[in-house]
Amino acid sequence: MTLPTILDRCETQGLRLTGPRRVIAQVLEDASDHPDVETIHARAAEQDPSISVATVYRTVKLFEESGILERREFGDGRARYEDAEREHHDHLIDLQTGEVIEFVDPEIEALQEKIAERLGYDLKGHRLELFAVRRK
Amino acid sequence: MTLPTILDRCETQGLRLTGPRRVIAQVLEDASDHPDVETIHARAAEQDPSISVATVYRTVKLFEESGILERREFGDGRARYEDAEREHHDHLIDLQTGEVIEFVDPEIEALQEKIAERLGYDLKGHRLELFAVRRK
DNA sequence: CTAAATGCAAAGCATTTGCCTTGAC
DNA sequence: GTCAAGGCAAATGCTTTGCATTTAG
C-alpha cells in the first residue's frame, strides 16, 4: 500500500487543483529536505515561471491548514515546510550551519505520553519536536 | 551561594553599565515568564520611558551574544528571552494559546548524550530543546 | 457562468541599521 | 575627552493582503 501523494490528499480535501497548486504539490512531493518558501518558489518556477511568491505563501498556508504540510520554525526567521504524512521524526538543528538532521528515537517516543501525564497536559493530536541547538 | 544576577554577569563580562542596560537587566531578572522584545520594552519603559525599542533589541542581542540570555523561538514569529543561568529545562508550547510550560525530565536529559552519540553528532555545549506543539 | 485563485504591488510586522547626539569610564 | 551606546527614523527581510484579472469546476 503506497501512501497517498500530496496531490491525492488535495483531492481528498476537495481543494481546487490549479496549475500552481499542482506544481507546488509536486515540488513538495519531491523534496527530501525542509525547503523554505523562497526555495519552494524557485523550484516551482522551474516548471512554471509565472508562479508568484505570493501564491506559494498562500498555497503552503492552505496546505498546512488542510493538514497536508507541517510548518517548521528552526530559528532562522523563515518558515520551512515538509509533508505531514511522512513518518514521524524529530530534528536536530545546528543554528550556525543551518544543518538539519532528522532522527527517530524510540525512547523519546515512549517518553511523550509519560511527560504529558506528568504535566497533566493533554498531548492528544500533538507532537513532541526535539531540537538540539548549537548556539554561538 | 546565590547565583550572580544578570547585572553581576554584565560586570563580569566587562559590559558598559548604562542606564538602559541596568533597567533591561533588572526587567529580565524579575521576569518569571518568557518575554518578547515588545514586552521587555514595555516593562523597561515603566522605569524609564526614554528607553527605545531599538535599544532593547540591541541589548538583548548583546546579552545573548555574551551568554547572559538565551533566545527562544516558539513559532509565533517573535523571539523571546530568558536568563541563560536558570537551571536547564525544556518547554511545552501550545501554539494555539501561546501557553508555555517549563519542565525537566531526567530521562530526557539522559537521552541527550545517547542521541548525539547515535547520530555521530557532537552535542558539546549544545542543548536539546523539547517542544510539544498543538497544531491547528 | 461564478466564485475562488493568481499576479502584482503595496502594506504589515519584527528586527536591524545609519546617523547624529548623549553619556560612561 | 573619546569612543561606545542610545534615540529616532529609515531600511530590511519575511509574510500577508487589496484589487483587478484569470480560471477551475
Side-chain angles (χ1 to χ4, degrees):
Chain A
M1 44 149 208
T2 314
L3 289 174
T5 65
I6 290 178
L7 208 54
D8 289 338
R9 282 172 272 151
C10 286
E11 290 179 339
T12 302
Q13 300 274 331
L15 301 183
R16 238 190 229 202
L17 296 182
T18 67
R21 286 185 185 172
R22 286 173 189 278
V23 174
I24 293 167
Q26 191 57 52
V27 164
L28 290 159
E29 189 74 48
D30 297 340
S32 57
D33 51 353
H34 306 74
D36 57 25
V37 169
E38 187 187 351
T39 304
I40 297 168
H41 178 243
R43 293 177 190 171
E46 289 176 17
Q47 304 301 121
D48 178 355
S50 74
I51 295 175
S52 74
V53 208
T55 295
V56 177
Y57 274 106
R58 281 189 274 235
T59 303
V60 292
K61 180 181 239 183
L62 173 73
F63 285 3
E64 192 211 347
E65 289 168 346
S66 304
I68 294 169
L69 294 182
E70 278 181 4
R71 181 200 301 254
R72 307 271 171 209
E73 302 264 355
F74 288 159
D76 60 356
R78 6 175 218 180
R80 294 160 176 280
Y81 293 87
E82 68 178 329
D83 190 336
E85 292 299 304
R86 290 196 43 215
E87 62 182 31
H88 171 66
H89 56 272
D90 290 302
H91 300 89
L92 279 166
I93 295 99
D94 188 325
L95 284 185
Q96 287 193 318
T97 66
E99 183 183 19
V100 177
I101 300 175
E102 300 188 347
F103 72 95
V104 176
D105 186 294
E107 293 186 41
I108 284 181
E109 299 307 310
L111 280 174
Q112 294 196 15
E113 278 302 319
K114 200 196 94 190
I115 293 169
E117 189 182 314
R118 179 179 296 181
L119 292 170
Y121 193 84
D122 182 9
L123 264 184
K124 277 194 190 66
H126 308 173
R127 162 167 308 179
L128 285 191
E129 296 182 7
L130 202 61
F131 293 80
V133 181
R134 186 198 294 271
R135 300 181 178 286
K136 189 168 117 195
Chain B
M1 42 144 210
T2 313
L3 289 174
T5 66
I6 291 178
L7 207 54
D8 289 338
R9 282 172 271 151
C10 287
E11 290 179 339
T12 302
Q13 300 275 328
L15 301 183
R16 226 183 244 210
L17 296 182
T18 67
R21 287 184 185 173
R22 287 174 189 277
V23 174
I24 294 167
Q26 191 58 50
V27 163
L28 289 159
E29 190 73 48
D30 297 340
S32 58
D33 49 355
H34 305 76
D36 57 25
V37 169
E38 185 187 353
T39 304
I40 296 169
H41 177 244
R43 293 177 189 171
E46 289 175 18
Q47 303 302 121
D48 178 355
S50 75
I51 295 175
S52 74
V53 206
T55 295
V56 177
Y57 274 106
R58 280 190 271 237
T59 303
V60 292
K61 181 181 239 183
L62 173 73
F63 286 3
E64 192 211 347
E65 288 167 348
S66 304
I68 294 169
L69 294 182
E70 277 181 4
R71 181 201 302 253
R72 307 272 172 205
E73 302 263 356
F74 289 158
D76 60 355
R78 354 171 230 188
R80 292 158 178 280
Y81 293 86
E82 69 178 328
D83 190 336
E85 292 298 304
R86 291 196 42 214
E87 61 182 31
H88 170 67
H89 56 272
D90 290 303
H91 300 86
L92 279 166
I93 295 99
D94 188 324
L95 284 185
Q96 287 193 317
T97 66
E99 183 184 19
V100 178
I101 300 175
E102 300 187 348
F103 72 96
V104 176
D105 185 294
E107 293 185 42
I108 284 182
E109 300 307 310
L111 280 175
Q112 295 196 16
E113 277 302 320
K114 200 195 96 189
I115 293 170
E117 189 181 313
R118 178 178 299 183
L119 293 169
Y121 192 84
D122 182 10
L123 264 184
K124 276 195 191 65
H126 307 172
R127 163 165 306 178
L128 285 190
E129 297 183 7
L130 202 61
F131 294 79
V133 180
R134 185 199 295 271
R135 299 180 179 288
K136 189 167 116 196

